[in-house]
Structures are given as C-alpha cells and as structure tokens.
Amino acid sequence: MTDKQKPTQHIKLYAGPTHACGYLDDQSSVSVFADPSLDFDNLLYSELSRLGFRRSGNHVYRPQCASCSACWAYRVLVDKFQPSKSQKRILKANQELELYIVPAQALSKDYQLYEQYINHRHQDGDMYPPSFQQYEEFLFSDWCESLLVKALDGQGQCHAIMALDILDDGLSAVYSFFAPQSPYKSLGTYLILKTIEICAAQNLPYCYLGYYIKDCQKMNYKGQYLPAEVYRQNRWQSY
C-alpha cells in the first residue's frame, strides 16, 4: 500500500436485502455495501476493487450470499493478454470505427442509445424499463472519476459506449451498450478488447471486467479474455 492509498480494514459493511438472484435459477442473492457515509474517491475505490468490490452509481458493493459463492471478480492481466483468432477478426471487422475517450457525463444523446439497447436486449432484466434517472444513477457517480469510450463511424454516428472507472492499477468496466441494429458486429467484445488496449497504452496492469459466473451465459463470456485472475476465497487466483 502506498502512502496515498487509504486503509480499508476498518470500513463498515452493510448487508442489503435478500432477493432472487438475477443470474442463477433457484438462488437468492445478498450484497454487502461499503459504508455509504465514507468519503469515497478513486484511491479508496481502487483498494476495495482489489477486495472484489464493484461500483453501481455512488454505491460500492460485493456479493456475499450465504449459500453460494459463484460470483468471482475477474481481471485481465493486460501485459500478457493476446487476442484470440476470433477476437482479432472482430477488431478487423470494426477497424473503421474511431474511438473517443471523454469524461463521463450523463447526456441525453447517449441515453437514447442506452434506451434502445435495454429495450432490445434486456427486457427481462432489472434495468427494464429504462429511464434517464435510472441510467444516470446506475452508471455515474458524484465521487468517482470515470470515462466513456465511444465508438463512432466516419459520419459521426455513435454505435457503442463503454463506461469505465479509473483505478490506480487499471480500468474497471462498469457497463457497455450499443446500437441493436448496428451493421458493426460483436460490439461488446470489441469494446472490451479496446479497453484492454487502453490499459496497455497507459501501462496499467489490470482490466477489471466485473463478476464472472461460470454457470451463467450472461456472465461467463468474460472467461474468453485470458490470462486472467479471479477473486475467490479472499484472494486473487490465476484463472
């Protein structure tokens, strides 16, 4: 721990309500939240990320279910990552897109893309139906320094967006969304691959991809980005 990093050993955790798991059938889910009264910043959040925590809006949380430990925080080892043949094809197929990295702001034009994505891809999820308030409270934070990576075509049309949090040892992918009818393919994969490239360009060792769940199709795709580590049994382990 450097002098700038804040100790986390005395942080109070509060358990949220038990609810049906959104990823595994017949499972209940509980998350613990870091004390919301803390003076959060990116350094403290970085420390908590190394303990398996994530951010949603202003809240920092980690799954802590009594009868299940299927959610593993997942981070790609940037300096060792080599895209697979299929990932190289995705990069090549989308090479006409231009990336723009901007400070995170909740803008109505970006929300329109988010709304299209949720309405088309996630009508069975917690984020449906979408609203601008829900979009703003989910992706953005009063205290966290974040970025938006936007993929635009030659006419300036935005096809995909990745929201990223800045950590002291990497970038954390908060969420990505894209135009459902875009002619460009595999945009979710494309955004992750470009995020790993951004980490490499900034000499950041890790790209955090949230929680990996082996038995959930919505969450096990992260295992395609290797080599990586998962946080389980209170330590980072090679995956």
Side-chain angles (χ1 to χ4, degrees):
M1 182 183 300
T2 68
D3 292 339
K4 293 183 179 180
Q5 293 172 335
K6 299 181 179 181
T8 56
Q9 62 267 30
H10 299 305
I11 290 178
K12 294 181 180 178
L13 301 178
Y14 296 90
T18 301
H19 57 278
C21 180
Y23 301 111
L24 298 175
D25 295 336
D26 303 321
Q27 289 284 355
S28 59
S29 176
V30 177
S31 294
V32 292
F33 294 83
D35 186 351
S37 68
L38 290 173
D39 184 18
F40 280 105
D41 60 17
N42 285 57
L43 287 174
L44 176 56
Y45 177 37
S46 297
E47 279 290 289
L48 288 167
S49 293
R50 286 188 282 275
L51 298 175
F53 283 79
R54 293 273 291 162
R55 181 185 69 82
S56 178
N58 285 319
H59 302 288
V60 178
Y61 73 96
R62 183 176 71 184
Q64 192 161 307
C65 307
S67 59
C68 179
S69 57
C71 294
W72 303 343
Y74 191 97
R75 66 186 187 187
V76 181
L77 304 180
V78 170
D79 62 342
K80 298 180 180 179
F81 176 77
Q82 294 292 332
S84 66
K85 291 182 179 179
S86 63
Q87 290 169 345
K88 288 179 180 178
R89 287 195 293 268
I90 291 169
L91 289 170
K92 184 176 181 179
N94 295 319
Q95 63 184 348
E96 294 180 1
L97 292 171
E98 295 186 38
L99 287 187
Y100 294 86
I101 304 173
V102 299
Q105 289 182 287
L107 302 178
S108 58
K109 62 180 179 180
D110 296 337
Y111 168 72
Q112 292 173 11
L113 185 64
Y114 174 86
E115 183 180 45
Q116 293 172 21
Y117 176 77
I118 297 297
N119 285 338
H120 189 267
R121 297 286 296 264
H122 293 291
Q123 291 190 19
D124 60 342
D126 295 339
M127 294 175 288
Y128 182 85
S131 69
F132 186 84
Q133 180 180 354
Q134 179 256 355
Y135 166 72
E136 185 174 26
E137 291 178 352
F138 167 43
L139 290 185
F140 304 93
S141 168
D142 296 332
W143 56 261
C144 186
E145 186 178 356
S146 304
L147 302 170
L148 295 181
V149 177
K150 300 184 179 184
L152 278 64
D153 64 21
Q155 287 71 48
Q157 179 68 33
C158 184
H159 290 260
I161 296 176
M162 171 75 88
L164 299 170
D165 287 341
I166 302 171
L167 306 180
D168 62 12
D169 62 355
L171 295 174
S172 177
V174 181
Y175 198 68
S176 66
F177 50 96
F178 48 85
Q181 307 303 327
S182 174
Y184 298 95
K185 304 300 182 183
S186 303
L187 286 169
T189 299
Y190 170 76
L191 287 171
I192 292 176
L193 292 171
K194 300 308 284 188
T195 298
I196 295 172
E197 287 183 8
I198 295 168
C199 289
Q202 297 296 323
N203 294 316
L204 296 170
Y206 303 114
C207 178
Y208 290 78
L209 295 183
Y211 295 114
Y212 168 86
I213 305 175
K214 180 180 179 181
D215 296 325
C216 176
Q217 186 175 4
K218 292 180 180 179
M219 302 294 278
N220 63 15
Y221 71 89
K222 299 168 187 181
Q224 301 171 22
Y225 304 92
L226 296 168
E229 295 177 336
V230 292
Y231 190 82
R232 55 185 302 228
Q233 299 174 336
N234 296 318
R235 64 186 181 92
W236 289 98
Q237 305 177 34
S238 296
Y239 176 79

